[in-house]
Amino acid sequence: MAKIKNIRAIEILDSRGKPTLRTFVFLDDGTVASSSIPSGASTGSHEAVELRDNDSKRYHGLGVLKAVNNVNEIIAKKLVGQPLDKLDELDKLMIDLDGSENKSVLGANAILSVSQALIKAAAQSLKKPLWQFINEYYFEAKPRFPRMMFNVINGGKHADWNFDIQEFIIIPQRQLASESIKVGSEIYHSIQKNLKEKKLSILVGDEGGFSPILNSNEEAFQLIIESAKNIGYENGKDFKLAIDGAASEFFSNGKYILKKDNKEITGDELIKYYLEIENKYGIYSFEDVFQEDDWENWTKFKTQLNQNELLVGDDLFCTNTKRMGIGFEKKSANATIIKPNQIGTIKETVDAIKLAKQYNWLVAVSHRSGETEDSFIADLAYAAGADFLKTGSLSRSERLAKYNRLIEIENNL
């Protein structure tokens, strides 16, 4: 196996124009691979630390030169000369080098940029597709295409609080990537046409979904269902509806405060609302519908939710196996979001995927609101046999790069 000749990180910009890292790995056989790291907007407090410079003179304090320097001066010096035959050990070496519980010393963004680039370099060196290398190295089961989770309408923090639910999602009931993407795209553009006819904004939020000013969450559901029906797609048959509540963003001082109406509600009232929309609109998947440490209401809602529906933890778990273990014991979810940058290495990401499958939870590999054109998570989702891939809407190239990558895989390219 080839050895690491050099590692170099640079500061680039993500899809929101904010700094992030791109790291290059050079091998002694001439292979060069790079990987870029995303950044979240509504981040969980239990996520690994994304290291920022906090220098107000550069990028309003959001620069990542400290993380870049940690790659170039600390991580590189430790890894140069190492062979790529034991990637898990290289990830562990970086974890130990950092030494903190949450990667606050070197930064999860610094460590992950190297972790991902190493895997890409290993795959390229062996002349294997990235998905094939990941599948053979980390997973025993055959690869499988995930179903798509398309975020077609943005709210909450992603769209300046036009309404409280952060993401209104459609899940086409097609297994082939190309077919699922076709259904999603057609519904997305039907929504756009519908909005134009209603003289509403077709501007999009961080993740490419439309962000019109509507009077309620219910109007968003109705808009999606109506737009799909206009082109012959039926809710519950051709696609299912899902939401990401991002409830931690409207939780304050032990209370849920709906920002659109400045209305305070209890956890029980929130559960009642979710059950109402489940019944009325056939909502299939509920993600982050309570605050990240509100275990009581997560568990309570799980007992009342139809067993065929999904209760998905994102901020609740943060791709962290310790928190997933708590959730399993408390029976607080039956699905989890997987985001590599929440935990900081691919080894730990894979551990979380495997644990979720051990728990018989469904797995959704996901992007972040601040993305890059790197399509790594598409290969990861396919290689892991993930149930879903969630990477934004049907616009903005940093989202489409992941969907287009699945089409490439489908066509053996």
Side-chain angles (χ1 to χ4, degrees), residues 241-283:
L241 289 169
I243 63 169
D244 176 356
S248 292
E249 298 297 331
F250 56 84
F251 184 85
S252 179
N253 297 320
K255 300 173 183 178
Y256 292 98
I257 302 173
L258 301 182
K259 295 192 177 185
K260 181 175 175 62
D261 301 317
N262 195 29
K263 178 183 178 182
E264 181 182 312
I265 63 173
T266 66
D268 284 336
E269 288 173 318
L270 202 50
I271 289 174
K272 182 180 178 182
Y273 174 70
Y274 292 143
L275 292 173
E276 286 175 356
I277 61 173
E278 176 202 20
N279 181 60
K280 188 172 182 180
Y281 300 107
I283 309 300

Side-chain angles (χ1 to χ4, degrees), residues 174-188:
R174 306 286 192 275
Q175 194 60 51
L176 275 181
S178 57
E179 284 297 310
S180 184
I181 290 167
K182 180 180 80 70
V183 171
S185 177
E186 289 174 354
I187 293 175
Y188 178 82

Side-chain angles (χ1 to χ4, degrees), residues 15-53:
S15 60
R16 295 177 297 178
K18 296 179 180 179
T20 188
L21 284 83
R22 177 172 293 159
T23 291
F24 294 81
V25 168
F26 304 83
L27 304 184
D28 61 4
D29 64 0
T31 299
V32 180
S34 68
S35 197
S36 304
I37 302 306
S39 174
S42 56
T43 55
S45 63
H46 302 287
E47 293 190 23
V49 171
E50 178 184 69
L51 191 64
R52 298 282 182 177
D53 296 341

Side-chain angles (χ1 to χ4, degrees), residues 180-229:
S180 184
I181 290 167
K182 180 180 80 70
V183 171
S185 177
E186 289 174 354
I187 293 175
Y188 178 82
H189 287 97
S190 184
I191 293 171
Q192 183 183 61
K193 180 181 178 182
N194 205 343
L195 288 171
K196 285 182 178 179
E197 290 173 351
K198 296 176 186 293
K199 300 190 184 305
L200 293 170
S201 171
I202 58 169
L203 296 177
V204 299
D206 276 350
E207 298 183 354
F210 299 112
S211 55
I213 302 299
L214 302 176
N215 292 318
S216 66
N217 297 321
E218 284 73 12
E219 278 194 27
F221 294 127
Q222 292 162 6
L223 175 66
I224 295 169
I225 293 169
E226 176 187 288
S227 300
K229 190 175 182 180

